[in-house]
Amino acid sequence: MITLNLTLPDAGYPIHIGQGLLDQPDLLLPLLASDKVAIVTNEVVAPLYLARLVDALRTRGIAVVPIVLPDGEDHKDWQTLNHIFDVLLAERCERSTTLIALGGGVVGDMTGFAAACYQRGVPFIQIPTTLLAQVDSSVGGKTAINHPQGKNMIGAFYQPRAVIADMRLLDSLPDRELSAGLAEVIKYGLLGDAEFFAWLEAHIDALRARDMTALEYAVRRCCEMKADIVGQDEKETGVRALLNLGHTFGHAIEAGLGFGTWLHGEAVAAGMVLAAATSHALGWLQDSDLARIRALISAAGLPIQAPDLGVEQWLTLMSHDKKVHQGKIRLVLLQQIGKAVIEETLPRAILDDVLSGPHIQSRAH
Amino acid sequence: MITLNLTLPDAGYPIHIGQGLLDQPDLLLPLLASDKVAIVTNEVVAPLYLARLVDALRTRGIAVVPIVLPDGEDHKDWQTLNHIFDVLLAERCERSTTLIALGGGVVGDMTGFAAACYQRGVPFIQIPTTLLAQVDSSVGGKTAINHPQGKNMIGAFYQPRAVIADMRLLDSLPDRELSAGLAEVIKYGLLGDAEFFAWLEAHIDALRARDMTALEYAVRRCCEMKADIVGQDEKETGVRALLNLGHTFGHAIEAGLGFGTWLHGEAVAAGMVLAAATSHALGWLQDSDLARIRALISAAGLPIQAPDLGVEQWLTLMSHDKKVHQGKIRLVLLQQIGKAVIEETLPRAILDDVLSGPHIQSRAH
């Protein structure tokens, strides 16, 4: 096991990465504020891992309230959040009850937001069970639910007490979910580490074959970068915005098709292609850079074309994104592979071209 | 105008108290993060003051989105909160849009919570229009909505950028609301300032007659005490809990009768009598202390008997309160007038007696 530390001005927490960590309750026990926890998971993860975690805690004398949510991004809404609150209240969970998120990005985001709001804040711990959650969403304290008009529109910055990434949990991850996680992994190479991007090109097949050494390195490198960036800018007033590479396009895809139609990682993958295409249109990326990016995303089993939402709907959905500032769409673009920048003055014509160009699927007739 | 400052480790903000402040947009303008605000108010306050504030801001070039909520504690729920989000999204409000709460405690709590959650946090400003909000709820950053199983169960600690208490707004306050505000005023005397309690005994008629000098002094003294306490303990891990005097009983009354049946201040008033009666049963307060407390609360136009919820329902509702810790009800009690303490080891028999004793209304047959 290796442990990274995310350092914040008034807090900080460990990110443990290793194999078999789910069976090590000693990692959890010192973090609990009382002898009671609520484990929030979903109906896919519960049959696989819930009993193991519950048993490990109960044998140590911890009272456990399990809360099983429906699976999927389309349930990342108020109704499901309120179900968490209903159970917490029915089970008399107090301010000292620790919430444990056992699941992927949706479970982590909802559990974190529930922890932020329940009785104005209770402790929580992330145990991510998907690659996407391990490399990205479980780290950094962004929590949220979706609103019909926009992804992650209602939420909080609320940090966990620890992130425990057990690589063995990826054994059960469906291939499609593994690929979705690789989208965020590729994002880290693209936005800030050309060497890591090249490493990914060389190891993409090993990663898809679930080579544990390769996966563990990828998770570690992404968490290092995320911890570094979040440590500099917890509330996203500056550099943290770079982590949204591909996400303004991606969120528009998710909202435009209906949450849950494409996986978040798939939408981000196509969104990164659009961001790269935009950067290419600006003359920042070369033909060969764009080709490398498309090739790696494709090799990861991810889409390299976005759905055809129509330019007007694209712009409407993108203008609802949180990255909008003073009415202008702020896009994260690439000056080169490994160097992202925030661009606010993009000519509309370039965006129009990209959103109706070759990186958009032909519309079915 | 006088200005108090609430000092926090990583922030702090002014509390302006004076007459005619609503017409001084210069107090607001330096606090805005952009040239766009959303004013959240309710259908009672809107006809009285909304146009004045909107006009004052629009003439200074600020774009204003008005959001008018239904009135009353029974609307302090997710549905109404979501209406705020719907409008903010429809009007393309961004992270730099400042929310302004123009109303009483319900509007302030909901606006603050909306500001805490919308796009993971936008700035907000409190313009309290009721005495209760001016002396208590607008200061200190507690925001929340109710859950059917408990008051203020879902919320956040989220501080405003400023509190602007315009005493002239109290001119339009119904007598019943004025009395409800006096409950919180009396609370400050009881919990920490015997001299102020005595001043209230001498000036209760002037306060009910809306003597501006008396009201302004009361608001100032309460805000001083609240700023001092919150500055010591923003997240209520210690001394801030004393501000809940009367509230564990009071919240049970509100939830037990249905939110909105009794005003919050009325429930707190009866709750303070029960806290005093409990303190008296413990031998801490003398007969004469209990008599003074009942007399002042009654003179303020407030109930000195609580409804008969039945002991079992009392205990159930009280055990849902956020002040519960390790299964024990934590009550704020009075060692003397002007000195509150937190008590966790209250014998159940004493509570049973109080909850079925003379400070409970006879049940209607």
Side-chain angles (χ1 to χ4, degrees):
Chain A
M1 182 180 89
I2 64 147
T3 299
L4 308 172
N5 284 293
L6 198 162
T7 309
L8 294 166
D10 59 349
Y13 51 92
I15 303 163
H16 303 299
I17 302 169
Q19 298 181 34
L21 306 188
L22 191 66
D23 305 307
Q24 296 180 31
D26 286 339
L27 289 174
L28 285 171
L29 293 174
L31 304 169
L32 305 184
S34 75
D35 57 0
K36 187 168 182 175
V37 305
I39 302 174
V40 183
T41 187
N42 71 28
E43 59 202 11
V44 172
V45 175
L48 296 169
Y49 303 117
L50 180 58
R52 260 169 70 190
L53 183 57
V54 169
D55 291 349
L57 289 166
R58 285 193 177 147
T59 55
R60 298 303 189 90
I62 305 296
V64 180
V65 175
I67 304 177
V68 181
L69 308 179
D71 178 46
E73 183 83 33
D74 49 328
H75 294 288
K76 193 171 137 180
D77 56 12
W78 169 258
Q79 196 182 351
T80 311
L81 184 72
N82 212 31
H83 172 69
I84 301 176
F85 296 140
D86 289 343
V87 176
L88 293 175
L89 280 163
E91 298 286 341
R92 296 172 179 272
C93 295
E94 305 170 1
R95 279 189 175 161
S96 62
T97 302
T98 301
L99 303 197
I100 298 176
L102 177 69
V106 171
V107 165
D109 280 11
M110 296 197 67
T111 307
F113 189 42
C117 299
Y118 184 66
Q119 301 204 5
R120 296 199 187 92
V122 298
F124 91 110
I125 293 167
Q126 292 270 18
I127 305 185
T129 62
T130 66
L131 181 61
L132 187 140
Q134 290 185 348
V135 298
D136 192 65
S137 63
S138 69
V139 175
K142 276 196 181 180
T143 75
I145 56 173
N146 298 327
H147 183 282
Q149 289 180 53
K151 168 112 176 168
N152 292 338
M153 277 293 161
I154 313 302
F157 289 98
Y158 195 73
Q159 301 293 341
R161 289 201 170 187
V163 179
I164 298 173
D166 182 347
M167 305 304 301
R168 299 276 19 146
L169 304 188
L170 302 183
D171 291 340
S172 60
L173 195 66
D175 287 339
R176 185 180 171 194
E177 298 263 0
L178 188 80
S179 289
L182 289 171
E184 299 280 4
V185 175
I186 293 168
K187 181 187 81 175
Y188 282 94
L190 275 178
L191 75 87
D193 188 344
E195 214 169 294
F196 182 52
F197 187 86
W199 182 90
L200 288 171
E201 291 177 311
H203 293 82
I204 192 68
D205 294 338
L207 290 165
R208 291 190 72 187
R210 299 169 201 244
D211 176 308
M212 273 293 143
T213 310
L215 281 171
E216 201 162 331
Y217 176 73
V219 171
R220 175 189 179 152
R221 184 69 198 110
C222 293
C223 287
E224 280 171 355
M225 290 178 72
K226 182 136 193 191
D228 177 46
I229 290 169
V230 172
Q232 293 174 53
D233 177 24
E234 182 184 2
K235 300 286 176 67
E236 195 170 307
T237 55
V239 65
R240 185 168 182 169
L242 297 180
L243 295 174
N244 297 315
L245 175 65
H247 280 61
T248 298
F249 292 108
H251 289 170
I253 294 171
E254 292 183 84
L257 298 181
F259 293 117
T261 309
W262 281 30
L263 294 179
H264 174 65
E266 293 167 343
V268 167
M272 290 192 295
V273 172
L274 295 180
T278 308
S279 310
H280 179 257
L282 287 166
W284 296 354
L285 290 187
Q286 318 247 323
D287 292 350
S288 58
D289 295 323
L290 184 56
R292 281 179 71 192
I293 293 167
R294 286 166 48 92
L296 179 58
I297 289 173
S298 182
L302 290 162
I304 53 173
Q305 283 190 313
D308 184 2
L309 304 176
V311 171
E312 287 309 315
Q313 197 194 350
W314 271 110
L315 294 175
T316 301
L317 289 167
M318 290 170 71
S319 71
H320 275 171
D321 203 67
K322 293 187 296 300
K323 269 68 76 180
V324 173
H325 182 61
Q326 308 276 348
K328 289 189 190 122
I329 295 174
R330 285 207 277 195
L331 283 178
V332 183
L333 298 178
L334 294 168
Q335 284 193 327
Q336 57 193 57
I337 288 174
K339 183 161 187 204
V341 292
I342 292 165
E343 173 58 44
E344 302 194 16
T345 59
L346 187 69
R348 164 75 191 261
I350 289 185
L351 206 51
D352 284 4
D353 283 352
V354 168
L355 293 173
S356 55
H359 306 289
I360 302 290
Q361 293 168 356
S362 302
R363 206 186 273 258
H365 291 288
Chain B
M1 182 180 88
I2 64 147
T3 299
L4 308 173
N5 284 294
L6 198 162
T7 308
L8 294 167
D10 58 349
Y13 51 92
I15 303 162
H16 302 299
I17 302 169
Q19 297 181 35
L21 305 188
L22 191 66
D23 305 307
Q24 296 180 30
D26 287 338
L27 288 174
L28 284 171
L29 293 174
L31 303 170
L32 305 184
S34 74
D35 57 0
K36 187 168 182 174
V37 305
I39 302 174
V40 183
T41 186
N42 71 28
E43 59 202 9
V44 172
V45 175
L48 297 168
Y49 302 118
L50 181 58
R52 261 168 70 192
L53 183 58
V54 169
D55 291 348
L57 288 167
R58 285 194 177 147
T59 56
R60 299 303 189 91
I62 304 296
V64 180
V65 176
I67 303 176
V68 181
L69 308 179
D71 178 46
E73 183 82 32
D74 48 329
H75 295 288
K76 194 171 137 180
D77 56 12
W78 169 256
Q79 196 182 351
T80 311
L81 184 72
N82 212 31
H83 174 67
I84 301 176
F85 296 140
D86 290 343
V87 177
L88 293 175
L89 280 163
E91 298 287 341
R92 296 173 178 271
C93 294
E94 304 170 2
R95 279 188 175 163
S96 60
T97 302
T98 301
L99 303 197
I100 299 176
L102 177 70
V106 171
V107 166
D109 279 11
M110 295 196 68
T111 307
F113 189 42
C117 298
Y118 184 66
Q119 301 204 5
R120 297 200 186 93
V122 296
F124 90 110
I125 293 167
Q126 292 270 19
I127 305 184
T129 62
T130 65
L131 181 61
L132 186 139
Q134 290 185 349
V135 298
D136 193 65
S137 64
S138 70
V139 175
K142 276 196 181 179
T143 74
I145 56 173
N146 297 329
H147 183 282
Q149 288 181 54
K151 168 112 175 167
N152 292 338
M153 276 294 160
I154 314 301
F157 289 98
Y158 195 73
Q159 301 292 342
R161 289 200 170 188
V163 179
I164 299 173
D166 182 349
M167 305 304 301
R168 300 278 17 148
L169 305 188
L170 302 183
D171 290 340
S172 60
L173 195 67
D175 286 341
R176 185 181 171 193
E177 297 264 0
L178 188 80
S179 288
L182 289 172
E184 298 282 4
V185 175
I186 293 168
K187 181 187 80 175
Y188 283 94
L190 274 177
L191 74 89
D193 187 344
E195 215 169 291
F196 182 53
F197 187 86
W199 182 90
L200 288 171
E201 291 178 310
H203 292 84
I204 192 68
D205 293 339
L207 290 164
R208 290 190 73 187
R210 298 169 201 243
D211 176 309
M212 273 293 144
T213 309
L215 280 172
E216 201 162 329
Y217 175 73
V219 171
R220 176 189 179 153
R221 184 69 197 109
C222 293
C223 286
E224 280 171 356
M225 290 177 72
K226 181 136 192 190
D228 177 46
I229 290 170
V230 173
Q232 292 174 54
D233 177 25
E234 181 184 3
K235 300 287 176 66
E236 194 169 308
T237 54
V239 65
R240 185 168 181 168
L242 297 180
L243 295 173
N244 297 315
L245 175 64
H247 281 62
T248 298
F249 293 108
H251 289 169
I253 294 171
E254 292 185 83
L257 297 181
F259 293 116
T261 309
W262 280 30
L263 294 179
H264 174 65
E266 293 167 343
V268 168
M272 289 192 296
V273 172
L274 294 180
T278 308
S279 309
H280 178 258
L282 287 165
W284 296 355
L285 290 188
Q286 319 249 319
D287 292 351
S288 59
D289 296 323
L290 183 56
R292 280 179 70 192
I293 293 167
R294 285 166 49 91
L296 179 57
I297 289 173
S298 183
L302 290 162
I304 52 173
Q305 283 190 313
D308 185 0
L309 304 176
V311 172
E312 286 310 315
Q313 198 195 349
W314 271 111
L315 294 175
T316 300
L317 290 167
M318 291 170 71
S319 71
H320 274 173
D321 203 66
K322 293 187 295 300
K323 269 68 76 181
V324 172
H325 183 62
Q326 308 277 346
K328 288 190 191 123
I329 296 174
R330 285 207 276 195
L331 283 179
V332 184
L333 298 178
L334 294 168
Q335 285 195 327
Q336 57 193 56
I337 289 175
K339 183 161 187 203
V341 292
I342 293 164
E343 173 58 43
E344 303 194 15
T345 58
L346 187 69
R348 163 78 190 261
I350 289 185
L351 205 50
D352 283 3
D353 284 353
V354 168
L355 293 173
S356 55
H359 306 288
I360 302 289
Q361 294 168 355
S362 302
R363 205 186 273 257
H365 291 290

